[in-house]
C-alpha cells in the first residue's frame, strides 16, 4: 500500500466506484451471482489515463473472487526471469492468489512476446479452482471460480508479434485463464484481439463527477476547497483523477490545507511547465538561438523519461488552446498540425527522437 | 655491482667512463640477474638504485635529487609510496643524457654522462627514441641473445619493488677497475634482495614490447601513487578512512578511526563492504589498488576471469575470516570483488550469506559484552565468536549499481559513486603524458583538441590513452622526424592528422574540413568530390559524425542571437529531412549494404549547410573552430540524468517488503513507468521539497503527512545520508537516490516558490500524539534526520525547503529532549536543574541526546550509527556548526552555517 491520498482513497469495491455508473452496472451484472460466473468474457478495457481503469478491474476481481472481502489486494511482487539468447530479462509480476498483473511492454518491443509465450501459457496449462471466500455462508448458489485472471497493462504497447501470440492463447486456454487488458487507445490493438474480447470504453469523469471526487477526498482530509480551485484543477487534469488527487494533496500541503482562496494557482507537474516554456519561447523569439535553447529543454525532458510523442502532442495541444490568445491564423494552426503529424510519423519510424523534435520545432517556429 | 651513495661518486665514475672509450648503457634499467648469468662479457655492473621515500606525511621533507641511496627494507616495502613515475622520469632526463655509439666489434657501446660534467651534448628525448631504435637494430645485428639487453623505460606494474627500478648498469669487456669493489657491492645487493622477495625480481622481467619502448601508455602512465590519481579527492579520503577502520581486525594497532563504531568487537565499520560504482575507464580498480597498498593491504582479486573450483563459500571465508600473515609474511589481505554486477561464480550469494552470519555474530558479541561484563566464560565465548567474525575489508567494484544481482548485497555495502574527473583534470593529465612522450613543451599542445578528444572517448581515460597512443605513436618515428622539421603542435588540426596507412585522416579531422568556412570560397563541386572520396572510408564513423554535426550545426550560424530562422529555412529543412533519412537507414533492421552507402548524403548535407552559410563571406577560421570545439554540452549530461532517472524509476517499481519498526509495510507501487514519471514522481518530489513546518499549521495533520512520506522514502530506501566532511570538520547531508532529480529541469524554477520566509522562532507545538512517530525515533533514518538542520533562512531558494523532514524530525528530537529533561529534573536536586537550565540550550540539548543514545543503545543491541562520536565531534566545534550541502540537482544551492543556538532558541 502506498500512503498518498491517491492510493488511500482508491475505491476497493464496485459499489464504491463513483463515476461512469452504467459501466459499473454492467460489470456488476457480469459478476453477479445470477449469471454463471465462469462465463465471464475476456475484457479489453480502454480509456484515458487516470479514469480508473485499473481500479475498476481490481474491484471487479474483488467481486468475482472474494465477494468484496478485499483479499485481492493482498498483493506481492515477484521478479520473473526469462532467458532470451543468453540474455536474461526480468519482469515484475504483481500477483495475488487469484490474479497476476504484468506489463509486458517493460521488456521492450522485441521481447514482449516471450511473456505471452511462457508466462501466460504456463498459467493457462494448469487448471485452477477458487472457492469464493464467503462460500460458507448460506449463499449456496455461489459457484467456485475456475479460472485465474491475467491483467495486462499497457496493452497498446504490445508488439504485433506479441498480440498474435496472444490471439491463439486466448482461445486455447480459455478454460483456465481470463485475460483483462488495459490500454489507453485501441488503435494499436489488432482486430483479432478486439473481436475476442469484450471491449469496454471507460471515459474520464465529467466535471461534475470530477468535482464530486475531489470534494469527497478533501472533506475526508479536512481541506477547505473553493470552486475556483476545482475548476482550475479540472482544466489542468482534464479528468485525470490520479493527477487530480496528487495535485490536490500537493497543493493542500503547500497551502496549509486551505484551497478556498480565489486567486489560487494550481501547481502543474514540472514537465508540463517545460512544455509551456517551449511554446512561449517559440512564439516570442524566432532566432536560431531559440532552437538551441529549446533543444536543451528537449534533452532535459527526454532524460526524465517523458516520451517524445507526448512532448509533441502537448505542444500541439498548447498551440490549439492558446491560438486565440496569441492571435494565430487558422491556416497556420493547420500547418502546425500537419507538421506535427509528419514528424510524429518520423519519430515512430526512426529512433532518434531529438532529431525529429528539433525538426518539428524549427518548422513550427517558422510557421507561427 | 656498485652502489652510488652520492652524486660525487657518480660523477667520478662517469668521468672514468668517459676516459674509457668502451662503455655500455642500457636505457632505463638493465636486468642484472640475466646479465650475471648469461653475459660472458660482464665484468662490472653498476646499478644505481633510486628510491624516494614518499611517506606522505613526510612529503615536505623529501628532497628530490638528493636521495640516491639504497633503501630496501621491509618497512619501506609496506609503507612507502612508490617512487612517483613521472618524477623519476624527470630525474632520469635531467641527470643523464645518452649517446649511443656503435662499435665495430659488434659490441654495443653507449656512453652515458652526467649533464653536470657538461662535456656531452644534450639530446632530446625523442632523439633518444630514434637512437634507441638504432641500438635495438644493432643489437639484433650482433646476434647476441636478446634477453641480455633490456631497454626498459618503466616497470609494468606498481609492485612493491620499485626500488629495483633505476638501475644503471654498464658492462663491457674490460675488467672491474672503477675504484670500487664491484663484486662486493654485488653481493650486497644480492643479500638485500634475498631479504625482500625473489619472486619480485622475476616479475620484473620485461616483456618484448617494453624493451622496444612500445609499451601501452595505459600501463606506462598508470598512476603509481596516491598523489598521482587524478581527481576523486573526497572519495580517496573516504576510502582510506574506511580502510583504516579495519586496522584492529587485521592485526594492526588501533587508530582514531577505529573509535567510530564502538560497539563492534573489532571496531570495524558498520558496513563491511565498500562498493564503488563508476563508469569504465575512470580508474576504480586502480584507485583501490593504490589506496589499499597505501594502507598496507595486499589485494586478493576475484573477478569473472577466475574460476573458483569447489566450494566458493569456503574459499571466500578462507580469505575473510582467517588471521593475517600468509606464508609467514606479514602481508595483510583484503578481498577485491571486481565486476560485481557480472558475477559468474555466484560470489554475491555467498557473500550475502557470510555477511548475514557475521551480522548475527556481531550482535551476539555485543549482547555478551553488555550482559556479562567480565565473567570468565563469557570472555571465552566472546573470543570464540570473535574468531568467526569477518576480519578483512571487502571491496566491490561495479559499473552498474542498479543491477539486480547487487540488490541483495547492497544493504551491506557502503556505496561510493565515483564521478568522472573533470575535463580539465583529464586533459591536463593527457597533456602531461603527451609532453613527456613526445618531448614537447606542454604549452605547445593544443588543448581544445585534447578536450575534444576526451569528449569523444566519453571521459574514459583508458580509452583516451589507448586511442592517443595508436593514433600518434603508431608511427612515432615519423612523428619525431617531423618534429625536427618543425611540426607545429599548436596547429589545430595537426594532432589528428598523423599519417597512417589506411586512413589519411581521422573522422574528426574530416569534420573540421567539413565545417571549414574557407571552403565556401572555393568551388563547391570539387570540394564535394574530395569530401566524398574521403568520407567513403569512414562509413562506420558516420554515426559519430552526424551526432556531432547535429550538436553543432546551429552554432555555425553567425550571430545566432539575432538571426531569424527564416534566413536559413531551406537549409534547415534539408538537414532535417536528411536526418530523418539517416535515422531510417540506421534503424532499418534488414541491413542493405547498397542502401547504407547513401548515408553519406546526410553528412554532405551538413557540409552543404555550412557552405551556404559562409558563401561569399570571409569569416576567420579560428573563430569558427572555436565554435565547433566548445560544443557537445548536452549529451554527457543527458545520459547521466537519464541513467539516474531510470535507476530511480526501477527503484520505485522494484518490489520491496520491509518490516519497519512497529508496523509492517508491504509497500508496492503498481504504477507503470509512464504514470510514475509523469504524475507520481513530480508530485512526490514537490512534496518532499516543501517546507512543511511553514505550510501546515496543524500539528497532527503535519505529522500524518510526514509519516506517510517517510514511509514511502523508507520503503524505497531513499535515505538521508550523513557524511562527515573531510575538509571542514562538519557534516554534509545528502538526500540519496536523488529524488529531486526527477523534476528539477534545470532551466526552471521549481514549482511554487511562493513560500513565506521561514520563521525560526516558531513556538513548540503540542507533544507528539502519533505513536508511530514515537517508534520512529529508534530508527536509523530518524536518528540521522535528527542531526539534520534546516537552513531555512531564504525560502525563496529551493534548497531551503529541502530539509523539511529534517526540521520536522529535529523538532521531535527536541521535544523528546524536553521530556528527558523533565524526568531528569525530578531526579536531580533543584539547584542543579536550574543551573542546567541556565546553560545555553544548545549544550543542554547535546548532552541529553548523548544520554538518550546511550540509553537506547542496550535495547537496540546494535547501534545503528556512530552517533556518539559524531555528537562529540560536534561538541568540539565551538558553535556546533553544521553545513548543509545539497545535491547537485540544485545548482544554486547554498552552504549555510546553522548553529545549534538558532535551532533551539
Amino acid at each position: 500500500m502506498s500512503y498518498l491520498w491517491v492510493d488511500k482513497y482508491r475505491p476497493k469495491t464496485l459499489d464504491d466506484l463513483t463515476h461512469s455508473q452504467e459501466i459499473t452496472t454492467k460489470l456488476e451484472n457480469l459478476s453477479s451471482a445470477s449469471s454463471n460466473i465462469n462465463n465471464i468474457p475476456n475484457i479489453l478495457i480502454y480509456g484515458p489515463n487516470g479514469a480508473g481503469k485499473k481500479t475498476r478491474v481490481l474491484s471487479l476481481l474483488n467481486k468475482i473472487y472474494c465477494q468484496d472481502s478485499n483479499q485481492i489486494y493482498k498483493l506481492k511482487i515477484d521478479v520473473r526471469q526469462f532467458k532470451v539468447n543468453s540474455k536474461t530479462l526480468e519482469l515484475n509480476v504483481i500477483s495475488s492468489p487469484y490474479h497476476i498483473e504484468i506489463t509486458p511492454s517493460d521488456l521492450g518491443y522485441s521481447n514482449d512476446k516471450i511473456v505471452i509465450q511462457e508466462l501466460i501459457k504456463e498459467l493457462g496449462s494448469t487448471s485452477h479452482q477458487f472457492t469464493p471466500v464467503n462460500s460458507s455462508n448460506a449463499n449456496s448458489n455461489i459457484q467456485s471460480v475456475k479460472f485465474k485472471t491475467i491483467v495486462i497493462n499497457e496493452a497498446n504497447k504490445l508488439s504485433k508479434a506479441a498480440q498474435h501470440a496472444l490471439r491463439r492463447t486466448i482461445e486455447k486456454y480459455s478454460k483456465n485463464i481470463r485475460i483483462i487488458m488495459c490500454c489507453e487507445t485501441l488503435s494499436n490493438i489488432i482486430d483479432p484481439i478486439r473481436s475476442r474480447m469484450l471491449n469496454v470504453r471507460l471515459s474520464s469523469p465529467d466535471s461534475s463527477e470530477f468535482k464530486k471526487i475531489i470534494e469527497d477526498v478533501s472533506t475526508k482530509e479536512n481541506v477547505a476547497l473553493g470552486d475556483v480551485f476545482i475548476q482550475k484543477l479540472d482544466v489542468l487534469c482534464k479528468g485525470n483523477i490520479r493527477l487530480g488527487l496528487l495535485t490536490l494533496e500537493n497543493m493542500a500541503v503547500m497551502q496549509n490545507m486551505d484551497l478556498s482562496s480565489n486567486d489560487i494557482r494550481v501547481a502543474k507537474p514540472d514537465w508540463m511547465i517545460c512544455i509551456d516554456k517551449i511554446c512561449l519561447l517559440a512564439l516570442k523569439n524566432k532566432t536560431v538561438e531559440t532552437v538551441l535553447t529549446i533543444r536543451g529543454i528537449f534533452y532535459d525532458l527526454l532524460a526524465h523519461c517523458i516520451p517524445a510523442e507526448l512532448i509533441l502532442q502537448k505542444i500541439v495541444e498548447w498551440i490549439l488552446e492558446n491560438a486565440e490568445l496569441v492571435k494565430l491564423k487558422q491556416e497556420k494552426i493547420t500547418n502546425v498540425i500537419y507538421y506535427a503529424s509528419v514528424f510524429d510519423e518520423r519519430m515512430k519510424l526512426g529512433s532518434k527522437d531529438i532529431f525529429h523534435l528539433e525538426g518539428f520545432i524549427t518548422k513550427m517556429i517558422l510557421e507561427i | 655491482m656498485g652502489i652510488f651513495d652520492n652524486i660525487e661518486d657518480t660523477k667520478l665514475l662517469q668521468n672514468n667512463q668517459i676516459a674509457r672509450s668502451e662503455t655500455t648503457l642500457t636505457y632505463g634499467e638493465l636486468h642484472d640477474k640475466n646479465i650475471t648469468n648469461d653475459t660472458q662479457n660482464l665484468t662490472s655492473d653498476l646499478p644505481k638504485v633510486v628510491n624516494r621515500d614518499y611517506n606522505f606525511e613526510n612529503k615536505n621533507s623529501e628532497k628530490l635529487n638528493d636521495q640516491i641511496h639504497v633503501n630496501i627494507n621491509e618497512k619501506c616495502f609496506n609503507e612507502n609510496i612508490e617512487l612517483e613515475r613521472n618524477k623519476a622520469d624527470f630525474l632520469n632526463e635531467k641527470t643523464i643524457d645518452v649517446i649511443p655509439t656503435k662499435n665495430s666489434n659488434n659490441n654495443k657501446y653507449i656512453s652515458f654522462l652526467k649533464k653536470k660534467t657538461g662535456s656531452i651534448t644534450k639530446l632530446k628525448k625523442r632523439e633518444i627514441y630514434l637512437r634507441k631504435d638504432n641500438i635495438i637494430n644493432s643489437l639484433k645485428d650482433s646476434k647476441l641473445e636478446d634477453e641480455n639487453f633490456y631497454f626498459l623505460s618503466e616497470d609494468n606494474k606498481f609492485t612493491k619493488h620499485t626500488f629495483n627500478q633505476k638501475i644503471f648498469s654498464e658492462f663491457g669487456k674490460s675488467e672491474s677497475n672503477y675504484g670500487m669493489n664491484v663484486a662486493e657491492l654485488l653481493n650486497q645487493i644480492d643479500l638485500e634482495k634475498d631479504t625482500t622477495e625473489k619472486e619480485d625480481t622475476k616479475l620484473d622481467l620485461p616483456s618484448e614490447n617494453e624493451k622496444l619502448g612500445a609499451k601501452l601508455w595505459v600501463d606506462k602512465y598508470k598512476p603509481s601513487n596516491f598523489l598521482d590519481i587524478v581527481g576523486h579527492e573526497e572519495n580517496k579520503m573516504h576510502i582510506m578512512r574506511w580502510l583504516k577502520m579495519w586496522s584492529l581486525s587485521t592485526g594492526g594497532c588501533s587508530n582514531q578511526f577505529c573509535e567510530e563504531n564502538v560497539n563492534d568487537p573489532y571496531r570495524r565499520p558498520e558496513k563491511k563492504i565498500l562498493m564503488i560504482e563508476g563508469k569504465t575507464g575512470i580508474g576504480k580498480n586502480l584507485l583501490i589498488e593504490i589506496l589499499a597498498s597505501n594502507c598496507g593491504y595486499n589485494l586478493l582479486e576475484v573477478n569473472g576471469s577466475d574460476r573458483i573450483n569447489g566450494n566458493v563459500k569456503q574459499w571466500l571465508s578462507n580469505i575473510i575470516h582467517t588471521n593475517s600473515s600468509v606464508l609467514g609474511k606479514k602481508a595483510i589481505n583484503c578481498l577485491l570483488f571486481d565486476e560485481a554486477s557480472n558475477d559468474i561464480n555466484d560470489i554475491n550469494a555467498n557473500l550475502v550469506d557470510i555477511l548475514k552470519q557475521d551480522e548475527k555474530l556481531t550482535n551476539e558479541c555485543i549482547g555478551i559484552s553488555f550482559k556479562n561484563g567480565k565473567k570468565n566464560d563469557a570472555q571465552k565465548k566472546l573470543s570464540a565468536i570473535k574468531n568467526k567474525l569477518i576480519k578483512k575489508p571487502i571491496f566491490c567494484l561495479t559499473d552498474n549499481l542498479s543491477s539486480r544481482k547487487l540488490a541483495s548485497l547492497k544493504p551491506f555495502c557502503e556505496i561510493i559513486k565515483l564521478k568522472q574527473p573533470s575535463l580539465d583534470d583529464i586533459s591536463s593529465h593527457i597533456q602531461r603524458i603527451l609532453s613527456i612522450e613526445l618531448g614537447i613543451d606542454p604549452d605547445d599542445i593544443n588543448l581544445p583538441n585534447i578536450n575534444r578528444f576526451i569528449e569523444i572517448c566519453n571521459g574514459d581515460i583508458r580509452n583516451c590513452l589507448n586511442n592517443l597512443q595508436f593514433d600518434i605513436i603508431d608511427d612515432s618515428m615519423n612523428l619525431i622526424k617531423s618534429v625536427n622539421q618543425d611540426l607545429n603542435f599548436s596547429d589545430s588540426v595537426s594532432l589528428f592528422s598523423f599519417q597512417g596507412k589506411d586512413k589519411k585522416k581521422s573522422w574528426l579531422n574530416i569534420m573540421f574540413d567539413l565545417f571549414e568556412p574557407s571552403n565556401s570560397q572555393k568551388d563547391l563541386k570539387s570540394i564535394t568530390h574530395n569530401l566524398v572520396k574521403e568520407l567513403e572510408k569512414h562509413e562506420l564513423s558516420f554515426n559519430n559524425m552526424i551526432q556531432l554535426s547535429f550538436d553543432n550545426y546551429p552554432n555555425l550560424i553567425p550571430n545566432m542571437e539575432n538571426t531569424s530562422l527564416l534566413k536559413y529555412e531551406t537549409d534547415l529543412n534539408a538537414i532535417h529531412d536528411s536526418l530523418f533519412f539517416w535515422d531510417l537507414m540506421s534503424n532499418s533492421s534488414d541491413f542493405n549494404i547498397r542502401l547504407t552507402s547513401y548515408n553519406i548524403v546526410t553528412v554532405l548535407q551538413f557540409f552543404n549547410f555550412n557552405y551556404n552559410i559562409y558563401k561569399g563571406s570571409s569569416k576567420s577560421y579560428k573563430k569558427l573552430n572555436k565554435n565547433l570545439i566548445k560544443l557537445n554540452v548536452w549529451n554527457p549530461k543527458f545520459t547521466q540524468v537519464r541513467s539516474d532517472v531510470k535507476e530511480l524509476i526501477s527503484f520505485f517499481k522494484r518490489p520491496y517488503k520491509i518490516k519497519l519498526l512497529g508496523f509492517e509495510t508491504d509497500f508496492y507501487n503498481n504504477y507503470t513507468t509512464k504514470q510514475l514519471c509523469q504524475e507520481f514522481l513530480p508530485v512526490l518530489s514537490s512534496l518532499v521539497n516543501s517546507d512543511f513546518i511553514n505550510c501546515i499549521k496543524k500539528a497532527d495533520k503535519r505529522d500524518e503527512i510526514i509519516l506517510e512520506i517517510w514511509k514511502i522514502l523508507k520503503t524505497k530506501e531513499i535515505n538521508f545520508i550523513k557524511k562527515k566532511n573531510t575538509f571542514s570538520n562538519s557534516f554534509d547531508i545528502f538526500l540519496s537516490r536523488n529524488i529531486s532529480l526527477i523534476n528539477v529541469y534545470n532551466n526552471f524554477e521549481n514549482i511554487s516558490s511562493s513560500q513565506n520566509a521561514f520563521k525560526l522562532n516558531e513556538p513548540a507545538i503540542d507533544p507528539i500524539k502519533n505513536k508511530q512517530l514515537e517508534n520512529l525515533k529508534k530508527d536509523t533514518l530518524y536518528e540521522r534526520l535528527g542531526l539534520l538542520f534546516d537552513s531555512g533562512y531564504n525560502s525563496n531558494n529551493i534548497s531551503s525547503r529541502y530539509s523539511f523532514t529534517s526540521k520536522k524530525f529535529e523538532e521531535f528530537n527536541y521535544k523528546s529532549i524536553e521530556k528527558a529533561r523533565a524526568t531528569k529534573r525530578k531526579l536531580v536536586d533543584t539547584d542543579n536543574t536550574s543551573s542546567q537550565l541556565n546553560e545555553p540550550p544548545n549544550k543542554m540539548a547535546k548532552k541529553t541526546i548523548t544520554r538518550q543514545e546511550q540509553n537506547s543503545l542496550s535495547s537496540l543491541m546494535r547501534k545503528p550509527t556512530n552517533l556518539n562520536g559524531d555528537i562529540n565531534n560536534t561538541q568540539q566545534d565551538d558553535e556546533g556548526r553544521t553545513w548543509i550541502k545539497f545535491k547537485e540537482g540544485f545548482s544554486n544551492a547554498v552552504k549555510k552555517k546553522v548553529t545549534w543556538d538558532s535551532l533551539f532558541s
Side-chain angles (χ1 to χ4, degrees), chain A residues 127-166:
Chain A
S127 60
H128 309 270
Q129 182 133 6
F130 302 103
T131 7
V133 184
N134 293 346
S135 61
S136 54
N137 287 0
N139 270 339
S140 55
N141 58 343
I142 292 181
Q143 309 127 321
S144 60
V145 187
K146 285 184 178 145
F147 57 86
K148 197 164 188 169
T149 308
I150 296 165
V151 180
I152 299 176
N153 289 325
E154 292 184 356
N156 53 339
K157 283 194 186 160
L158 283 180
S159 63
K160 288 276 169 331
Q163 294 192 36
H164 283 295
L166 194 60

Side-chain angles (χ1 to χ4, degrees), chain A residues 3-5 8-9 215-224 248-249 252 257, chain B residues 698 701 704-705 708:
Chain A
Y3 305 96
L4 296 177
W5 294 355
K8 205 166 160 188
Y9 297 106
E215 275 172 348
D216 270 0
V217 173
S218 40
T219 25
K220 278 177 196 155
E221 289 287 339
N222 288 323
V223 181
L248 175 73
E249 177 167 13
M257 300 293 165
Chain B
K698 271 187 226 157
K701 190 88 213 166
E704 200 180 301
I705 290 170
E708 280 172 11

